Structure formats: structure tokens, C-alpha cells
Amino acid sequence: MKTREGNVIKRKTDKNNKGKKDSENEKLLKSEDEAKDKNTFKYGPMPRFPSQRIWSRGILILGIFVYLWYFSKSSKETVLAKQTDLYHRRGQVVHCSTEYLEDVKQYPGCVPQQCGRYVSDKIVTTHEAEILLQLAQRVMALGGSKGGATIMDLHSGALSFDDKFVNVYAQKKNKILTPTDLAVYKLVRTKIQNAIADTFGIDVASLHLTHPTFFSRLSNLKPVTPHDEYWHIHIDKHTYESFHYTSLLYLNDYGIDFKGGRFVFLNDASSPTKNVTVEPRKGRVSMFTSGSENPHFVEPVTEGLRFAITVSFTCDPSKAIQDPVHKV
Ligand SMILES: O=C(O)CCC(=O)C(=O)O
Ligand SMILES: [Fe+2]
């Protein structure tokens, strides 16, 4: 039975209990706060420095830039030779195509140990390249293609003229080659021949200069004949049957004398990011095996004139050509 007194006592006890609970709760919260504080400062207070927020955002943005730069770089082609750099010898080994190896196997001493592509700035001096550049400019002024590619072959005398070829040696009144031109030309092609033999580990006597070996002047003029379309992907061994080793000597500078006109090797035609480029530089020699292991093209020239010489070698003695002789 509940008495009034009993009710009062109960209320008091409830109040006491509530008070106790409240103070217990308070204690609990206090000790949690303390624990929180203790946790926060377990190893000492976090270091703080002025403008912390600005710094952390700056670092985040920098990180994003580094990430974007890395990925943009890895999705670009490989530059084998930059115009601004000098290389003793730089290159890549590639698997010889079977047709190529079968072909050179017929000629002992001419089989490469490994197929590949190489550049060197130490074979031909810039002075020698300059003499050949002046020769090309002088002789090409006697003709010139209406389209983007003027070709001059000093062995046969063929020179592009409008949309055909003429024989410069037939123009008796013109002094075409000086003894110095001839000596430099012969010296340069001999040095390149030795460099190819050394680079590919073959016998220099098994290599012969072959046709066509020619000077080229490339521009941004619209093509008039198929000869002017120099930017098509091709394999030298397919275009010129006698070729086993191709070399190119650049006579002027990419980015200075002309824009565009880089030389490009393709590793995978469906993936341009696997391309390997060579930026022409005065006196730079590029050497490669001429089979399907080395498909390539020249980028269109967008400004200026690009001068180069294609110097070709064969293992087949019946396809050998002689150096040009003195013509006056
Ligand atoms: O001039 C060049 O860089 C390349 C020319 C070429 O591919 C060729 O003559 O077959
Ligand atoms: Fe070629």
C-alpha cells in the first residue's frame, strides 16, 4: 500500500538517483573529453604552420600537374635523336624481318648480327655537311620540282624539273661539281659505309653503294607528281629492291631552317605512341636495315626547306654503283 510519506520518500530517492546519474553522466562525458584530448595529443600536438590550408591545396594541385605531365609524356612517341642534342651513337635493336635476313644471307659477310636503327653526329662534320648543302642549293637552283620534293642524283645527273627530270650533266655550260665537292662527297659516303659496317658488325667490303643515292629538298608545296608525296609510310627494301642498308645524312636543322619534316620509324602502325622520331640536324647520320623491320615516313615540312641525302647500300655486288666523276 502506498502512503503519502512513502511517495515523498520515493520522489526524494528518485531525485537523488537522477542527481547521481547526472553527475555520473557528466563524469563520463568529462572523461571521454579527456580521453579525446589525450588521443589528440598522444604524440604531442599536431604541428601547425601559417597558411596551412593554402599550402596543402598547393601541394594537391602540384600533385595533379605531375600526374598529368607523366601521363601526357608516356602517351607521346619516343624521340631517338633531338635536334639540340649530340650523339656519339644512339639506337635501337629491332627483330630482322625474315625476308630481309633470307636476302642478305646470300651474301656472306653482309648478314647483320642484329637489325636496328641508329643515329650518330660523329661521322660527318658540320663543315662537310655545309659543303654538301651548298652544292645541293647550287645545283638544285638549275631546276626544281613544282611540287614539294626536288631530287638530285649526282651519279646519273638526274634533277627534278617542274614535273619531270632533266640531266644536269647535259647542260654543258654549267659547272656542276668542283673537285672539292667530289672529294667531300666520296669521303662522306666512305665514312658512312664504314660506320654502317661497324654498327651492324659486318664486313665493310661486302657493302656496295647502290642506286638511288640522291639529295632531296623538301618543302610545303602541294604535290604535283607522286614523287612529291614524301610523307607516305614505306619500307625501303620494297620501294628500292637493291637496298639492304639505308643511311640518311641531314644537311640542315629541324626547327631552325625548317619546321615539320621529322623522320619517323613505326613500331606499330596502329599505335602512333610507339613511333620513334629522328629530328634532322646538320651532319647527323641515320643508319638502319632496309627491311620491313623499319617502316618509316617523313612528316610534312610546314615551313622552310629541308635538305638531306639518302645514301644506300646493297650486299649484291651486281647492284653496285660508282662514285660520280668530275664533271665540268
Ligand atoms: O629524308 C629522309 O629523312 C628520309 C627519306 C627516305 O625515307 C628515303 O629516301 O627512302
Ligand atoms: Fe625511306
Side-chain angles (χ1 to χ4, degrees):
M1 199 205 277
K2 281 182 190 170
T3 59
R4 193 171 163 263
E5 236 170 65
N7 275 345
V8 171
I9 290 167
K10 190 177 179 295
R11 242 181 268 139
K12 265 190 188 167
T13 334
D14 283 354
K15 228 184 192 177
N16 279 349
N17 281 347
K18 194 175 176 282
K20 245 190 213 167
K21 253 187 201 161
D22 283 351
S23 73
E24 266 169 20
N25 276 348
E26 256 167 40
K27 257 189 212 163
L28 211 68
L29 285 174
K30 222 176 170 186
S31 63
E32 268 176 11
D33 280 349
E34 272 167 13
K36 249 192 219 164
D37 285 351
K38 265 185 200 156
N39 276 344
T40 312
F41 299 118
K42 193 170 177 186
Y43 303 109
M46 283 295 286
R48 288 187 177 275
F49 44 91
S51 318
Q52 185 166 353
R53 208 178 248 194
I54 296 172
W55 275 98
S56 58
R57 282 188 188 165
I59 288 166
L60 182 72
I61 290 165
L62 188 71
I64 292 169
F65 272 112
V66 169
Y67 177 85
L68 291 175
W69 169 79
Y70 178 79
F71 276 95
S72 69
K73 209 167 162 258
S74 63
S75 65
K76 277 190 196 138
E77 78 284 316
T78 305
V79 181
L80 182 61
K82 267 179 89 70
Q83 188 278 329
T84 47
D85 293 346
L86 271 173
Y87 304 94
H88 186 79
R89 182 159 74 197
R90 186 163 202 242
Q92 291 180 324
V93 167
V94 284
H95 283 295
C96 292
S97 70
T98 47
E99 45 141 17
Y100 178 81
L101 268 188
E102 279 311 307
D103 201 3
V104 287
K105 254 184 206 152
Q106 294 177 44
Y107 308 101
C110 211
V111 185
Q113 282 165 3
Q114 277 168 327
C115 286
R117 44 187 76 151
Y118 296 87
V119 286
S120 174
D121 296 304
K122 300 288 179 187
I123 300 167
V124 175
T125 66
T126 46
H127 183 60
E128 289 159 348
E130 180 59 33
I131 290 171
L132 295 175
L133 174 66
Q134 285 178 16
L135 158 66
Q137 287 169 332
R138 195 179 70 242
V139 180
M140 286 182 180
L142 302 172
S145 169
K146 263 188 181 160
T150 294
I151 302 299
M152 170 180 101
D153 176 347
L154 291 183
H155 302 266
S156 66
L159 171 69
S160 310
F161 196 101
D162 287 349
D163 54 359
K164 51 188 187 303
F165 284 92
V166 291
N167 185 352
V168 275
Y169 295 143
Q171 305 176 9
K172 288 268 188 321
K173 63 180 187 331
N174 291 313
K175 186 176 171 187
I176 306 301
L177 298 174
T178 67
T180 307
D181 293 334
L182 283 168
V184 172
Y185 188 76
K186 192 172 173 180
L187 170 71
V188 161
R189 83 105 179 125
T190 307
K191 289 202 284 186
I192 295 175
Q193 185 167 348
N194 280 293
I196 292 176
D198 182 46
T199 303
F200 292 98
I202 59 168
D203 175 10
V204 68
S206 71
L207 274 184
H208 313 275
L209 191 70
T210 193
H211 171 80
T213 282
F214 58 92
F215 287 70
S216 61
R217 184 184 74 191
L218 306 182
S219 75
N220 64 0
L221 287 180
K222 276 209 191 88
V224 174
T225 70
H227 292 292
D228 294 321
E229 297 182 21
Y230 55 83
W231 48 82
H232 293 301
I233 299 170
H234 64 277
I235 290 159
D236 286 349
K237 180 105 207 59
H238 297 176
T239 312
Y240 319 104
E241 217 193 301
S242 63
F243 281 35
H244 289 124
Y245 295 89
T246 306
S247 69
L248 299 155
L249 167 61
Y250 294 109
L251 302 180
N252 62 354
D253 291 291
Y254 164 78
I256 300 171
D257 301 307
F258 59 91
K259 300 220 167 88
R262 295 184 310 167
F263 178 98
V264 184
F265 287 109
L266 288 96
N267 284 328
D268 176 353
S270 61
S271 169
T273 59
K274 299 218 171 96
N275 288 356
V276 173
T277 60
V278 175
E279 299 177 356
R281 178 188 165 93
K282 185 181 279 193
R284 173 166 290 166
V285 174
S286 156
M287 312 165 263
F288 52 93
T289 48
S290 313
S292 348
E293 63 280 354
N294 277 320
H296 59 271
F297 70 98
V298 177
E299 286 177 340
V301 170
T302 54
E303 248 181 78
L305 295 174
R306 174 197 197 264
F307 287 88
I309 316 181
T310 299
V311 188
S312 344
F313 294 93
T314 184
C315 302
D316 178 354
S318 74
K319 300 277 169 49
I321 59 166
Q322 299 310 307
D323 287 314
V325 286
H326 189 193
K327 298 262 163 61
V328 277

